[in-house]
Amino acid sequence: AQSVTQPDIHITVSEGASLELRCNYSYGATPYLFWYVQSPGQGLQLLLKYFSGDTLVQGIKGFEAEFKRSQSSFNLRKPSVHWSDAAEYFCAVGEGGSYIPTFGRGTSLIVHP
Amino acid sequence: NAGVTQTPKFQVLKTGQSMTLQCAQDMNHNSMYWYRQDPGMGLRLIYYSASEGTTDKGEVPNGYNVSRLNKREFSLRLESAAPSQTSVYFCASRAGQENTEAFFGQGTRLTVV
């Protein structure tokens, strides 16, 4: 069965600093990978997705993620964090065909001024 | 665009009461999902419907039932609510083709006392 691990429960960064959120997945074939963001009291919004092709994908709000098959990872990065980026971030994996999105437990991002 | 609409947004139930959470999408998506979100647990799949007329259990189906009323609507029913069902419930939909992501509603915050 597919699974997703987000090893960091909380990440604290200063505004303007760079950010990397980690995500590792377990799946036999090439997975479909996603990052979602959830602001307090809101639903989940897609930041970016990887299906195939270029392993570095660009998303909304200045985020990017890199798929590394050898490390089974799909880490999310942003070069300069803004206070408005404070939120919960979820990595998800899905398989082709029937596809059922499976989510990690989430990483809470705290941004200090 | 409405996207995925969930009702109600908030609900308080007494133990043993029943209720139905409603979800409707206007994107002509084939697949729909119900998740629950609990602190530190991420999103866990309760039930899903890969297409109109089909439903299947997810990771945590006990205590819930679902109905795929038509292509637009997918409801979640709690027959006899328990405090352990206190959670935030999210409905999501997906087009059904392989290279597509899930879209989420705003969530229903349910408290069972």
Side-chain angles (χ1 to χ4, degrees), chain A residues 32 36 38 42 49 99 101, chain B residues 35 37 94 98 101-102 106:
Chain A
Y32 299 140
Y36 286 85
Q38 183 184 32
Q42 301 297 311
K49 58 189 177 184
Y99 181 93
Chain B
Y35 291 89
Q37 182 181 26
R94 192 177 72 89
E98 288 190 356
E101 69 271 24
Q106 293 296 294

Side-chain angles (χ1 to χ4, degrees), chain B residues 9-39:
Chain B
K9 288 185 170 52
F10 301 94
Q11 184 72 47
V12 178
L13 289 179
K14 294 182 178 179
T15 297
Q17 286 184 319
S18 63
M19 80 161 294
T20 299
L21 281 64
Q22 306 288 351
C23 175
Q25 51 91 9
D26 62 1
M27 297 174 281
N28 200 36
H29 284 171
N30 290 320
S31 302
M32 298 185 74
Y33 310 86
W34 275 106
Y35 291 89
R36 60 177 288 172
Q37 182 181 26
D38 303 292

Side-chain angles (χ1 to χ4, degrees), chain B residues 31-105:
Chain B
S31 302
M32 298 185 74
Y33 310 86
W34 275 106
Y35 291 89
R36 60 177 288 172
Q37 182 181 26
D38 303 292
M41 301 296 292
L43 279 79
R44 292 181 292 170
L45 184 68
I46 305 171
Y47 271 93
Y48 68 100
S49 171
S51 61
E52 185 179 359
T54 69
T55 61
D56 285 287
K57 295 179 180 179
E59 180 185 355
V60 289
N62 292 345
Y64 306 95
N65 284 300
V66 291
S67 295
R68 183 75 183 266
L69 304 171
N70 47 56
K71 192 170 186 179
R72 291 186 64 248
E73 298 172 287
F74 188 39
S75 63
L76 178 72
R77 183 161 177 83
L78 286 70
E79 291 290 352
S80 179
S84 61
Q85 295 178 303
T86 293
S87 187
V88 181
Y89 292 85
F90 286 99
C91 177
S93 71
R94 192 177 72 89
Q97 289 82 11
E98 288 190 356
N99 297 2
T100 57
E101 69 271 24
F103 292 82
F104 284 81

Side-chain angles (χ1 to χ4, degrees), chain A:
Chain A
Q2 59 194 28
S3 65
V4 179
T5 302
Q6 293 181 247
D8 303 306
I9 298 173
H10 302 283
I11 292 281
T12 301
V13 298
S14 298
E15 191 170 16
S18 62
L19 171 70
E20 182 170 31
L21 301 182
R22 296 183 291 165
C23 173
N24 294 96
Y25 66 89
S26 172
Y27 181 62
T30 299
Y32 299 140
L33 295 160
F34 309 86
W35 276 99
Y36 286 85
V37 60
Q38 183 184 32
S39 298
Q42 301 297 311
L44 277 72
Q45 180 185 21
L46 182 72
L47 281 175
L48 46 78
K49 58 189 177 184
Y50 172 79
F51 292 131
S52 65
D54 192 348
T55 56
L56 183 64
V57 293
Q58 303 297 320
I60 62 171
K61 304 185 180 185
F63 286 92
E64 66 177 28
E66 186 171 12
F67 170 60
K68 293 185 176 180
R69 184 190 303 276
S70 61
Q71 298 176 19
S72 297
S73 68
F74 189 58
N75 294 349
L76 181 71
R77 301 194 294 249
K78 187 170 185 178
S80 178
V81 170
H82 188 263
W83 64 266
S84 61
D85 293 324
E88 190 88 14
Y89 291 81
F90 292 95
C91 182
V93 63
E95 59 181 307
S98 60
Y99 181 93
I100 299 171
T102 299
F103 287 82
R105 296 193 172 191
T107 297
S108 178
L109 176 63
I110 301 165
V111 180
H112 282 315

